[in-house]
Amino acid sequence: MSRYIYLHLIIIMWGFTAILAKSISIHSEEIVFYRSLLASCSIGLWLIYKKKNVRLDKKIVTKALLNGALICLHWLFFFLAGRLSTLSISLIGVATTSFWVSLIEPIIAKRKIRTYEIVLGLMVVLGIYVIFHSESLYWGGLLSALLSAIFAAVFTVINGTTLSKYDGSVVTFFEMTGACLTSMVIFPLYIRFFAHRAIDLALVTFSDVFYLLMMSLLCTSVAYIVLLDIMKKITPFTVTLNSNLEPIYGMTFAILIFGNKEVLNLNFYIGSALVLIPVFLHSYFSITTSRSISNRPTPPPTAGPARSYP
């Protein structure tokens, strides 16, 4: 039970991340750079303090660094979505992550796509269509949020199927390092297509520093380390499913803090319901399927030598 409490505390912190990003004056790419840099440094100091062995197989380090690149892109498009639209729209777009996980996880885990996942996925698509038409002025923000959700789905599945087997703090250190390096690599592209000005990392105010520290240390370093440890006992889909409460928490924070700026028309909330309802239906079907499989009679053992697993 405690792992689910920790999971929801993490989701609440993620929901508040959007509020922090909206309150920071610098561009999205600069936020991602500072967030990943501060997170990487703080985790590195933690590893030194705990005298942990950071040696991993080269393939695992490479995979963690590449996963960090996905995290960087996820953050970049998420923060960009908040700048191009409202926090509510960007959060609903990211809520489609579970839909993308239901398509991506079977490919990586090599299982069949379930019929009900396709049906529920179509409901999510319908919800997105309604939101597009109800808030057409913010199509750029919703598109950015959808891209953010796809990147989030990929790195979540990779974390759950491969990297969760290793020490969470060590893996997170390499992921944050990969995110930081990726943010520096894409600086020129971001300047040309989005920022339209040179990157100036010195343009941070005192309040920016405070919000960045909260975002990096609490909402990133602590959250990701705990999350990887949690994922040793629960599935990637369970994490993603519960993570869809993030837009509910985030929109609540946004309305309380920013007021009427975050209140949208009725069709937006209808579309949002079409996105969120399939998430909870998927939970029901997943639990039902798991129970039916676990209740099947165990087949009799076949002849042959016994085999033990490490």
Side-chain angles (χ1 to χ4, degrees):
M1 179 62 68
S2 60
R3 67 180 71 105
Y4 291 100
I5 294 175
Y6 288 135
L7 177 59
H8 278 280
L9 288 175
I10 291 171
I11 294 168
I12 290 173
M13 287 191 290
W14 285 346
F16 199 70
T17 299
I19 307 298
L20 294 174
K22 192 82 170 180
S23 304
I24 296 174
S25 62
I26 57 178
H27 281 293
S28 304
E29 172 59 18
E30 294 161 335
I31 295 176
V32 173
F33 170 75
Y34 276 120
R35 182 181 185 181
S36 55
L37 176 63
L38 292 171
S40 178
C41 291
S42 61
I43 296 172
L45 291 173
W46 171 259
L47 294 175
I48 293 173
Y49 172 74
K50 286 292 185 178
K51 298 180 180 179
K52 287 195 175 185
N53 183 10
V54 297
R55 292 184 180 179
L56 294 175
D57 184 82
K58 290 183 179 179
K59 291 183 179 179
I60 299 302
V61 172
T62 301
K63 185 169 289 188
L65 291 172
L66 292 175
N67 219 32
L70 295 174
I71 292 173
C72 172
L73 294 172
H74 161 62
W75 286 345
L76 179 60
F77 281 105
F78 177 63
F79 295 147
L80 182 63
R83 298 295 172 91
L84 295 177
S85 58
T86 67
L87 292 181
S88 298
I89 288 178
S90 59
L91 287 165
I92 284 297
V94 174
T96 63
T97 300
S98 61
F99 165 61
W100 302 113
V101 167
S102 69
L103 297 179
I104 296 169
E105 188 179 10
I107 298 173
I108 296 179
K110 297 181 180 179
R111 70 165 176 83
K112 293 182 179 180
I113 298 177
R114 302 182 182 99
T115 304
Y116 69 81
E117 289 180 338
I118 297 175
V119 175
L120 296 179
L122 291 175
M123 289 181 63
V124 172
V125 172
L126 177 60
I128 295 171
Y129 175 81
V130 173
I131 294 173
F132 258 121
H133 278 262
S134 65
E135 300 293 339
S136 58
L137 291 176
Y138 299 128
W139 67 268
L142 183 56
L143 180 60
S144 295
L146 292 175
L147 289 173
S148 175
I150 293 173
F151 289 121
V154 177
F155 82 69
T156 299
V157 173
I158 293 175
N159 268 344
T161 56
T162 305
L163 298 178
S164 62
K165 302 174 185 177
Y166 304 93
D167 186 282
S169 57
V170 176
V171 171
T172 305
F173 168 74
F174 285 113
E175 288 184 336
M176 293 301 104
T177 302
C180 184
L181 294 174
T182 303
S183 68
M184 289 189 290
V185 170
I186 63 178
F187 269 156
L189 294 176
Y190 187 82
I191 293 170
R192 177 166 183 172
F193 295 104
F194 298 105
H196 305 297
R197 68 161 175 82
I199 296 292
D200 190 348
L201 298 174
L203 292 177
V204 288
T205 64
F206 178 80
S207 60
D208 288 341
V209 172
F210 175 74
Y211 294 137
L212 284 167
L213 287 173
M214 284 187 63
M215 183 187 295
S216 304
L217 302 182
L218 187 61
C219 301
T220 306
S221 298
V222 174
Y224 274 78
I225 290 172
V226 174
L227 179 63
L228 275 173
D229 286 334
I230 289 174
M231 291 183 73
K232 294 178 181 178
K233 298 180 180 179
I234 57 181
T235 64
F237 184 79
T238 301
V239 173
T240 308
L241 184 68
N242 285 275
S243 295
N244 281 276
L245 291 172
E246 180 184 341
I248 296 176
Y249 296 141
M251 285 191 290
T252 302
F253 290 142
I255 292 174
L256 289 175
I257 295 173
F258 297 112
N260 292 333
K261 293 180 180 179
E262 290 295 327
V263 177
L264 303 172
N265 62 48
L266 179 62
N267 286 336
F268 167 78
Y269 294 102
I270 293 175
S272 300
L274 289 172
V275 171
L276 293 174
I277 288 174
V279 170
F280 296 101
L281 288 177
H282 199 302
S283 177
Y284 170 78
F285 288 129
S286 297
I287 293 172
T288 303
T289 302
S290 299
R291 286 178 178 174
S292 64
I293 292 174
S294 62
N295 290 332
R296 289 177 185 173
T298 304
T302 57
R307 184 175 181 180
S308 60
Y309 292 88

